[in-house]
Amino acid sequence: MKKLFASFTSALAIFAFSLPFSTSVKSAEFFTIGTGGATGVYFQVGNAICKMVAKLQSAEHGRKKGTDKAYRCAAPSSGGSTYNIGQIQQGEFQFGVAQSDWQYHAYNASKPDKVKPFKDLRAVFSAHPEPFQIIARKGSKIKDWKSLKGKKVNIGNPGSGQRGTFEVLMESHGVNKSYFGSTTELTSSEQSGALCDKKIDAFGYTVGVPNAGVAQSTDGCGAYIINLTTPQVKKLVADNPFYAFATIPKGTYKTSKKDVTTFGVMASVVTSASVSEEMVYNVVKAVFENLDDFKKQHPAFANLDPKKMIKDGLSAPLHPGAVKYYKEKGLM
Ligand code: GLU
């Protein structure tokens, strides 16, 4: 026991000495970024941000420049977009990744049944595009929206962006859950396994491309993504600024024999007006000053363009801490 205690205290000492700011900074501030399922792209966004924040902190510490506050962050997996927005509103998360449609509806209080109105929601920047995808099981005979009728479909867990977007899609086609044979509420990390195990015939997922979760079912058990080009989808795109047509190029997954056309949104990083200007400024600075490194963190980030990141898919006002940085850098 004594030995155990001794090794525990020495481990603690090593840990304390290995913290680069433990002796020289005035204070350390901790924040959390809400993401999505562990096999999704939001998880990669959140963790890439934390990595860039740590990188900026150690660079500035070395040069004795910038903030004398040390920022520490964590980006745990979560239920997804609307869950993240709710947690930011409650002050549990300081940042979160959210689909542009749910950012819009939260700020404008336009779908209170799906996302709680949140006037203090603030945009930070947008990241990768997220096509809404229906992934069908090999042998399911699903080829379009119509042939989903009577099938076992995963509509996503409550709190996820895809769940809300799937509901919007059903509503726009004038149907409800009874259109399908049955529906499940599996999380994004459960749905691919369930598809390959034939527990479900299809699932809906709003996610960046490429993505490990989708690959698990396409490359893993021959599932494929269907086109979504009904007149109702076209109307959704025509009527809403946060939707656009999206293509999943052929070759993306093993079963991507042709380009797939669907509609999609942007992934965006959001925060609250009550988060400090200094914290948001530092997060934005960390990402934009290390953008080349950030882009390398996931293939879905390859085409990130600063000019688009500060404009596209942002319907809540930009947080003043972000505006400060964008103005300083001449981006605005
Ligand atoms: N768009 C999904 C959501 O809002 C998450 C996708 C991901 O995890 O990359 O829940």
Side-chain angles (χ1 to χ4, degrees):
M1 185 66 186
K2 207 169 165 190
K3 203 171 156 205
L4 198 77
F5 182 73
S7 61
F8 177 67
T9 43
S10 58
L12 259 186
I14 292 167
F15 177 68
F17 281 113
S18 67
L19 286 175
F21 309 106
S22 56
T23 51
S24 51
V25 287
K26 287 187 184 139
S27 59
E29 216 174 315
F30 189 82
F31 63 90
T32 305
I33 306 173
T35 64
T39 53
V41 184
Y42 284 11
F43 190 68
Q44 305 292 333
V45 174
N47 283 283
I49 295 174
C50 288
K51 198 168 163 187
M52 298 311 132
V53 167
K55 194 170 167 177
L56 179 77
Q57 297 288 301
S58 49
E60 295 204 325
H61 178 69
R63 297 199 304 268
K64 286 217 168 307
K65 255 174 59 181
T67 176
D68 56 2
K69 222 180 240 169
Y71 288 105
R72 291 273 172 272
C73 94
S77 74
S78 86
S81 288
T82 51
Y83 177 82
N84 295 339
I85 292 171
Q87 292 298 100
I88 294 171
Q89 192 168 18
Q90 286 175 24
E92 295 293 333
F93 293 166
Q94 289 63 50
F95 297 86
V97 194
Q99 291 179 199
S100 52
D101 47 351
W102 300 114
Q103 180 193 146
Y104 180 96
H105 292 308
Y107 181 72
N108 292 294
S110 40
K111 288 236 184 279
D113 57 320
K114 303 196 201 306
V115 65
K116 222 170 136 197
F118 183 18
K119 211 55 209 163
D120 274 351
L121 184 67
R122 292 293 176 268
V124 182
F125 57 81
S126 60
H128 56 284
E130 294 191 275
F132 179 84
Q133 299 157 61
I134 296 224
I135 293 106
R137 181 174 58 75
K138 185 182 177 182
S140 66
K141 300 205 172 83
I142 295 167
K143 51 184 192 328
D144 51 19
W145 171 261
K146 251 184 159 172
S147 50
L148 283 167
K149 191 167 186 214
K151 301 288 183 187
K152 286 181 256 171
V153 180
N154 185 48
I155 56 172
N157 62 288
S160 69
Q162 57 267 13
R163 170 57 176 271
T165 307
F166 208 134
E167 286 176 359
V168 168
L169 197 62
M170 286 192 265
E171 286 158 18
S172 71
H173 287 85
V175 301
N176 58 28
K177 285 198 253 177
S178 66
Y179 181 69
F180 307 109
S182 62
T183 53
T184 52
E185 298 189 323
L186 303 173
T187 63
S188 60
S189 36
E190 295 166 330
Q191 60 197 5
S192 280
L195 192 81
C196 290
D197 291 345
K198 300 191 178 165
K199 290 188 179 126
I200 53 171
D201 299 314
F203 64 81
Y205 195 12
T206 326
V207 72
V209 178
N211 153 254
V214 173
Q216 196 191 330
S217 52
T218 51
D219 301 6
C221 66
Y224 54 93
I225 309 167
I226 63 169
N227 285 305
L228 281 176
T229 49
T230 59
Q232 291 85 345
V233 167
K234 288 179 184 150
K235 186 166 163 41
L236 279 178
V237 173
D239 292 352
N240 296 289
F242 42 78
Y243 292 138
F245 281 110
T247 303
I248 298 137
K250 76 172 186 201
T252 303
Y253 300 107
K254 273 192 195 154
T255 55
S256 308
K257 304 279 185 240
K258 287 185 191 151
D259 286 0
V260 170
T261 307
T262 180
F263 72 108
V265 293
M266 292 298 289
S268 60
V269 175
V270 292
T271 186
S272 162
S274 62
V275 171
S276 78
E277 202 173 307
E278 194 189 351
M279 185 182 279
V280 177
Y281 176 89
N282 273 279
V283 166
V284 169
K285 183 174 182 183
V287 170
F288 280 72
E289 291 198 358
N290 296 295
L291 199 60
D292 287 337
D293 192 0
F294 188 89
K295 286 186 195 176
K296 286 186 205 136
Q297 304 297 315
H298 192 276
F301 308 154
N303 298 319
L304 291 183
D305 170 357
K307 284 194 205 83
K308 292 186 177 164
M309 289 168 79
I310 68 167
K311 200 170 82 225
D312 292 0
L314 306 180
S315 33
L318 277 166
H319 189 285
V323 171
K324 185 177 167 208
Y325 180 81
Y326 300 147
K327 284 195 170 153
E328 249 175 50
K329 291 290 149 182
L331 287 165
M332 278 177 98

